[in-house]
Amino acid sequence: QQQVKQSPQSLIVQKGGISIINCAYENTAFDYFPWYQQFPGKGPALLIAIRPDVSEKKEGRFTISFNKSAKQFSLHIMDSQPGDSATYFCAASIVGGGGNKLTFGTGTQLKVEL
Amino acid sequence: NAGVTQTPKFRILKIGQSMTLQCTQDMNHNYMYWYRQDPGMGLKLIYYSVGAGITDKGEVPNGYNVSRSTTEDFPLRLELAAPSQTSVYFCASSYYTLSSGRAYEQYFGPGTRLTVT
């Protein structure tokens, strides 16, 4: 039972381009939606997160767009750089819902080419 | 602060052997978690703890056990290792207070790569 579906599985973007990764969730009780970035051999690290009371959150080159009615959220990376090449995971949880347990998507391998 | 530390970094086990994966955090976080990461499958929660002495099952707990005797440590025990337990294991921690109602970041350790043959 996959509660958070992520696409695409892999993505190749040219330097300076826009990278877009999409996620869809099923559980309407989810109220916290983080994106994690993972480099090879490392643990995931929080990149940016959003609560459902806003439709967009921007931090530098990274933006989350959130559509509550469609139960979808996406990560946009503007002016993508080779250093952004990593695996990105979307996740969702219920704040205070017995441990704030994260349900992860299956990940997107992003490669930014020169 | 060292953050979340995990030992060992790598381990090869034979089928039927047992081992304990160690996890320690120095951020005084009350919540701790164990995940496993399989290729193309994302991270799946094995067990979690909301405080010392309190643990609960996650999505994939079979074949594992945990304990939480202190705030800092959250070891994961594998009994009778099986090839299906070949994976990368991540420990994470976070802070939460019911009164705040806000979500807090989960901090992940560097992982333990386990192979069972």
Side-chain angles (χ1 to χ4, degrees):
Chain A
Q1 177 189 357
Q2 185 182 355
Q3 294 194 53
V4 179
K5 294 185 178 180
Q6 183 172 347
S7 64
Q9 187 175 356
S10 62
L11 181 61
I12 299 175
V13 173
Q14 297 298 308
K15 180 176 180 289
I18 302 173
S19 304
I20 302 174
I21 305 171
N22 301 299
C23 283
Y25 63 96
E26 299 169 4
N27 188 346
T28 55
F30 286 145
D31 60 357
Y32 174 64
F33 303 90
W35 284 89
Y36 278 81
Q37 180 187 55
Q38 184 180 32
F39 292 103
K42 304 291 187 184
L46 180 68
L47 188 62
I48 186 172
I50 198 168
R51 299 293 299 269
D53 52 342
V54 296
S55 60
E56 187 175 282
K57 183 175 181 180
K58 183 176 181 180
E59 290 184 1
R61 296 185 293 109
F62 302 92
T63 300
I64 299 180
S65 296
F66 183 79
N67 187 327
K68 188 173 182 178
S69 60
K71 294 187 289 185
Q72 294 176 348
F73 59 110
S74 59
L75 176 69
H76 292 63
I77 305 175
M78 312 299 288
D79 187 27
S80 298
Q81 299 297 314
D84 297 331
S85 297
T87 300
Y88 293 81
F89 293 95
C90 62
S93 73
I94 303 169
V95 175
N100 293 338
K101 301 181 293 291
L102 288 171
T103 299
F104 281 87
T106 51
T108 297
Q109 280 195 311
L110 171 65
K111 183 177 181 181
V112 180
E113 294 184 333
L114 292 170
Chain B
N1 286 352
V4 180
T5 56
Q6 293 182 239
T7 57
K9 285 186 169 49
F10 305 93
R11 183 73 186 268
I12 298 175
L13 279 183
K14 294 190 184 305
I15 294 171
Q17 288 185 322
S18 300
M19 77 164 293
T20 298
L21 282 66
Q22 301 292 345
C23 174
T24 300
Q25 54 91 11
D26 63 359
M27 297 175 282
N28 200 31
H29 286 169
N30 49 351
Y31 285 19
M32 295 188 75
Y33 310 84
W34 274 105
Y35 295 89
R36 59 177 288 172
Q37 183 177 28
D38 301 313
M41 298 295 291
L43 287 87
K44 292 191 182 297
L45 183 66
I46 305 172
Y47 270 96
Y48 68 100
S49 168
V50 298
I54 306 170
T55 63
D56 206 348
K57 297 177 180 179
E59 185 181 354
V60 289
N62 291 345
Y64 308 94
N65 276 300
V66 294
S67 59
R68 182 104 182 264
S69 57
T70 67
T71 299
E72 296 79 19
D73 301 305
F74 190 39
L76 177 71
R77 178 83 178 162
L78 278 72
E79 305 282 1
L80 299 175
S84 61
Q85 293 178 305
T86 293
S87 188
V88 181
Y89 291 85
F90 289 100
C91 179
S93 72
S94 72
Y95 176 76
Y96 180 73
T97 61
L98 187 62
S99 60
S100 73
R102 56 162 287 191
Y104 289 85
E105 173 181 357
Q106 284 191 23
Y107 292 82
F108 284 77
T112 294
R113 185 174 294 274
L114 176 67
T115 301
V116 182
T117 62

